[in-house]
Amino acid sequence: MEHSDFLVVGGGVIGSAVACGLLHKKCSVTLLDAGGDAFNASLANFGLVWVQGKGQGSRRYAEWCHEASELFPEYVRQLETETGIDLAYRKPGGLVLCHGEEEYQKREKVLERLRNESRHGSYDCHMLDRADVQKMLPNLTLGPGITGGSYSAHDGYLNPLALLKALHMSFTQGGGHFCSGTAVTNIGYQHGRFLVTTNSGEFTAEKIVLAAGNAMTRLSRMVGMDVQVHPEQGQLMVTERTRPTLSMPISGIQQTAEGSFIVGLSNRNVGFNTDTDTRLMKQMAQRVVNAFPALACLKIVRSWSSLRVLTADGLPIYQQSERCPGAYAVTAHSGVTLAPQHQIHIADWIAEGVQPEEFERFSTRRFDVEKTA
Amino acid sequence: MLKRLHDISDRRKVTIDFEGMQLEVPAGETVSAAVLAAETDYTRTSAISGVHRGPYCQMGVCFECLMEIDGVPNSQACMIEVRHGMTVRRQHGARGVSDEASV
């Protein structure tokens, strides 16, 4: 039986970032990844490092994302130096396009709300009229229905597959033990230690971190927590490669470093289902063509769907179990954007008990308050 | 070099233009088969590294056979039948996107 200081369940981008952070604390860390059948959002996402628009109604979450974006350039530099893997990270800023007047007004209200809720009455993202959006996208003429958009300098993107690969490499190079194809079936707690049963043997650990995406609801109950998440399906399409054309990522439309356009503009509540829907693809393609008529000539070469991991209010949950101290739940929808926060601050919290500012806002206690109110 | 397994002498022929060369090929054949049979060294350069590439799977899966066919870039040559008067060009790197192309 293998024993370690920390056992991290879930080898996606969140679990791997936390595991790398814990490894830097000179602890022994084992990372279990179910692989295969797991609905792995880390392998299927867009790769946006995105700040704008996030955190309506939760100032602390808006700040948490913004801080992550500030940490990102140095975070990527270190990971690339350590592993030699090019993450294709760029921070040119990002745009949300508005189709029609109504969307423009709605977007304006979103930014106004975020500004009003912010600490100093400022939110660094602003509305642009159609002409100014066009200036930011010199290679593609906007469709006639585009009324404008919002721009934030804090947004960017990377290659999410390269990020995951780099985290795994960094973890194993740093002496971490990565166990792929290892699915947790039970977690026991005795004398302050955890005993984890898997499909390939048992593991023991002083502390355990659950970062297993949509398996969180089931696993958290094994350590006396009730951390509820639900899947939300998103569908993506990839086009043939073109020469560099799109100068910055747009919410839902992005050109990769290799030249493919990725399109992802959907969300459906269909449970644990990753079927693709051609009607939805058609709608997504139409919206892209409405934004940029020139892209109508591009062939779509692949499509897939994957499952987002959402909490009831869409915000992250960072929670230690009261019944089984030493068990932690870490879940967030934005695993890519928040990677530096998880590797630096969440690892600090788990290993040393150092809590970031206003950290209780990310605990499950926020849901209790709503119930009793 | 690649040779056709079957005799094509009695097949109806069409003429296609491949990089300025006039190829007489059997009707019903795919563009990639026709171009391979003409002892072509390569049919595209890759979008990232620029290395020479040629058709591989011949069944629409690998995207190695991309060519510019009748002006349409990134066309899968293995999935398109030859037509009389067709113009076939190598695909050089990634295609461009221009506003004119959408009209």
Side-chain angles (χ1 to χ4, degrees), chain A residues 52 56 96 98 101-116 123 125-129 148-150:
Chain A
Q52 68 162 293
Q56 292 172 71
V96 172
C98 302
E101 265 315 312
E102 203 178 312
E103 278 190 23
Y104 189 92
Q105 284 162 16
K106 260 171 92 175
R107 189 68 188 163
E108 213 168 18
K109 286 207 177 78
V110 167
L111 298 191
E112 195 183 306
R113 180 176 177 191
L114 284 159
R115 194 166 296 121
N116 291 337
Y123 185 73
C125 174
H126 52 274
M127 296 302 293
L128 299 176
D129 65 18
S150 61

Side-chain angles (χ1 to χ4, degrees), chain A residues 141 240 242-243 293-294 297 299, chain B residues 48 63 73-74 94-96 99 102:
Chain A
T141 302
E240 59 185 303
T242 80
R243 289 195 284 274
C297 65
K299 297 177 196 72
Chain B
I48 307 295
F63 289 77
N74 282 355
R95 63 168 294 169
D99 286 324
S102 67

Side-chain angles (χ1 to χ4, degrees), chain A residues 134 137-143 245 291-297, chain B residues 96-103:
Chain A
Q134 185 64 79
L137 305 169
N139 305 324
L140 284 169
T141 302
L142 292 170
T245 307
F292 305 112
L295 298 187
C297 65
Chain B
V97 177
S98 68
D99 286 324
E100 296 78 48
S102 67
V103 181

Side-chain angles (χ1 to χ4, degrees), chain A residues 306-359:
Chain A
S306 183
L307 302 176
R308 299 183 182 91
V309 182
L310 289 184
T311 59
D313 59 5
L315 269 48
I317 290 176
Y318 307 123
Q319 174 77 48
Q320 181 173 191
S321 171
E322 284 167 19
R323 290 223 333 251
C324 309
Y328 298 81
V330 178
T331 188
H333 158 243
S334 298
V336 172
T337 301
L338 297 176
Q341 296 283 35
H342 293 153
Q343 186 156 342
I344 300 164
H345 296 299
I346 295 302
D348 279 351
W349 165 58
I350 292 169
E352 292 156 4
V354 183
Q355 292 199 357
E357 198 183 336
E358 294 179 50
F359 196 58

Side-chain angles (χ1 to χ4, degrees), chain A residues 146-167:
Chain A
I146 299 298
T147 44
S150 61
Y151 170 79
S152 158
H154 304 287
D155 298 325
Y157 64 95
L158 50 66
N159 178 338
L161 302 180
L163 172 64
L164 190 63
K165 189 176 164 193
L167 286 170

Side-chain angles (χ1 to χ4, degrees), chain A residues 16-337:
Chain A
S16 302
V18 173
C20 285
L22 292 173
L23 209 55
H24 286 147
K25 309 288 179 192
K26 309 282 174 226
C27 303
S28 60
V29 186
T30 300
L31 179 58
L32 307 182
D33 186 49
D37 296 336
F39 292 96
N40 198 335
S42 297
L43 294 175
N45 74 89
F46 220 84
L48 291 178
V49 177
W50 201 258
V51 177
Q52 68 162 293
K54 282 180 177 167
Q56 292 172 71
S58 173
R59 171 181 53 79
R60 189 61 195 120
Y61 180 54
E63 292 169 355
W64 189 242
C65 294
H66 180 256
E67 290 159 20
S69 152
E70 298 288 293
L71 291 169
F72 233 99
E74 176 59 18
Y75 177 72
V76 167
R77 199 192 57 76
Q78 279 187 21
L79 201 52
E80 285 182 337
T81 308
E82 217 176 298
T83 62
I85 295 173
D86 177 8
L87 302 188
Y89 171 65
R90 304 283 183 278
K91 196 179 180 181
L95 279 165
V96 172
L97 292 183
C98 302
H99 297 242
E101 265 315 312
E102 203 178 312
E103 278 190 23
Y104 189 92
Q105 284 162 16
K106 260 171 92 175
R107 189 68 188 163
E108 213 168 18
K109 286 207 177 78
V110 167
L111 298 191
E112 195 183 306
R113 180 176 177 191
L114 284 159
R115 194 166 296 121
N116 291 337
E117 289 171 353
S118 70
R119 227 178 260 242
H120 307 291
S122 68
Y123 185 73
D124 192 14
C125 174
H126 52 274
M127 296 302 293
L128 299 176
D129 65 18
R130 183 188 156 85
D132 283 333
V133 170
Q134 185 64 79
K135 274 183 212 149
M136 295 218 154
L137 305 169
N139 305 324
L140 284 169
T141 302
L142 292 170
I146 299 298
T147 44
S150 61
Y151 170 79
S152 158
H154 304 287
D155 298 325
Y157 64 95
L158 50 66
N159 178 338
L161 302 180
L163 172 64
L164 190 63
K165 189 176 164 193
L167 286 170
H168 287 171
M169 188 191 262
S170 165
F171 179 70
T172 48
Q173 276 179 357
H177 184 198
F178 183 73
C179 304
S180 58
T182 307
V184 172
T185 50
N186 191 52
I187 305 171
Y189 182 65
Q190 256 190 336
H191 313 299
R193 271 192 178 187
F194 295 90
L195 171 65
V196 177
T197 314
T198 75
N199 61 344
S200 56
E202 293 184 326
F203 297 81
T204 56
E206 301 300 316
K207 291 185 174 184
I208 185 167
V209 181
L210 304 180
N214 276 307
M216 180 66 91
T217 309
R218 177 175 66 87
L219 294 177
S220 67
R221 285 175 185 149
M222 297 176 185
V223 289
M225 286 192 280
D226 185 24
V227 179
Q228 293 185 27
V229 294
H230 64 273
E232 182 194 74
Q233 195 204 65
Q235 197 162 311
L236 287 94
M237 303 190 296
V238 169
T239 72
E240 59 185 303
R241 288 170 175 177
T242 80
R243 289 195 284 274
T245 307
L246 194 63
S247 48
M248 65 178 67
I250 292 171
S251 173
I253 311 170
Q254 158 61 359
Q255 188 174 24
T256 67
E258 291 80 17
S260 304
F261 281 81
I262 316 184
V263 179
L265 293 156
S266 73
N267 41 322
R268 291 200 297 166
N269 286 309
V270 289
F272 287 92
N273 175 331
T274 52
D275 290 349
T276 52
D277 180 335
T278 44
R279 285 167 306 178
L280 203 55
M281 287 171 66
K282 200 174 160 189
Q283 287 167 21
M284 283 159 54
Q286 188 59 56
R287 195 166 160 93
V288 173
V289 172
N290 289 348
F292 305 112
L295 298 187
C297 65
L298 293 184
K299 297 177 196 72
I300 289 159
V301 295
R302 280 190 300 285
S303 79
W304 67 88
S305 79
S306 183
L307 302 176
R308 299 183 182 91
V309 182
L310 289 184
T311 59
D313 59 5
L315 269 48
I317 290 176
Y318 307 123
Q319 174 77 48
Q320 181 173 191
S321 171
E322 284 167 19
R323 290 223 333 251
C324 309
Y328 298 81
V330 178
T331 188
H333 158 243
S334 298
V336 172
T337 301

